Amino acid sequence: MNNYLCPCLSQLSYSECCEPLHKKQQGAENAAQLMRSRYSAFYLAEVDYLIATLHPSKRRIDERELLQSTINNTQWLGLNVLDHQQKNELAEVEFVAFYQDNPVGQLHERSRFTCESGEWFYHDGILLPAIKLGRNDPCFCGSGKKLKRCHG
């Protein structure tokens, strides 16, 4: 059993959070849950899950290689879901995913998701400017420390 904290920073154990989705034991209940599970899949190199949750119309022939390259070249540090809006089978999730760089890099995106036959898929996203981080804000990695004492 995987009792370590989930990489999506939900404060739940991986076995209670994203693992059941990764193992296809359950589907995402909404787009925000799918987004968190996709972040965890990048973190844990769950390429098959990333492909399965990408809308079929967006999959490329070289999708597996592109995803594997991203996974091999990115050390993810934390996730912050900023907004989730849903209307029927369409949803948007705004998030910031932090990764190791000098200084720390940010993927700030408003992602679009669709639900088809009860299953949520990542469709695409719009890249947004990096967010401003305050030195006294809690660190994005979930350590509980202030940013300046952790990744600041």
Side-chain angles (χ1 to χ4, degrees):
M1 183 174 240
N2 296 309
N3 289 323
Y4 56 87
L5 286 179
C6 193
C8 78
L9 302 180
S10 65
Q11 299 307 308
L12 296 172
S13 70
Y14 176 62
S15 63
E16 295 174 301
C17 191
C18 291
E19 184 179 40
L21 282 77
H22 292 168
K23 291 191 172 185
K24 299 180 182 141
Q25 296 167 341
Q26 71 182 54
E29 294 176 14
N30 56 51
Q33 186 181 30
L34 181 66
M35 209 293 310
R36 287 182 166 283
S37 71
R38 284 180 55 84
Y39 171 85
S40 292
F42 274 104
Y43 188 94
L44 298 169
E46 293 282 347
V47 175
D48 289 339
Y49 182 79
L50 291 166
I51 292 171
T53 57
L54 177 62
H55 192 272
S57 69
K58 297 295 184 173
R59 296 176 193 156
R60 298 171 36 160
I61 292 172
D62 59 349
E63 195 69 45
R64 180 173 302 281
E65 292 79 18
L66 291 170
L67 289 167
Q68 194 62 58
S69 176
T70 298
I71 288 167
N72 292 344
N73 294 302
T74 310
Q75 181 184 353
W76 297 102
L77 301 173
L79 174 69
N80 188 357
V81 175
L82 303 172
D83 188 34
H84 172 223
Q85 297 178 13
Q86 181 177 332
K87 186 171 183 177
N88 301 319
E89 287 79 37
L90 301 174
E92 290 186 347
V93 178
E94 182 181 350
F95 70 92
V96 181
F98 299 91
Y99 58 91
Q100 187 64 52
D101 205 352
N102 189 18
V104 170
Q106 295 183 25
L107 171 61
H108 183 194
E109 182 177 297
R110 177 165 288 280
S111 299
R112 293 189 317 158
F113 296 83
T114 57
C115 187
E116 298 177 9
S117 303
E119 188 174 352
W120 282 100
F121 293 95
Y122 171 76
H123 211 269
D124 57 22
I126 298 168
L127 293 177
L128 301 171
I131 63 170
K132 183 171 170 56
L133 299 172
R135 291 175 28 85
N136 289 318
D137 291 343
C139 190
F140 51 79
C141 73
S143 68
K145 298 177 184 176
K146 291 183 179 184
L147 180 63
K148 67 183 176 186
R149 302 260 182 231
C150 196
H151 283 96

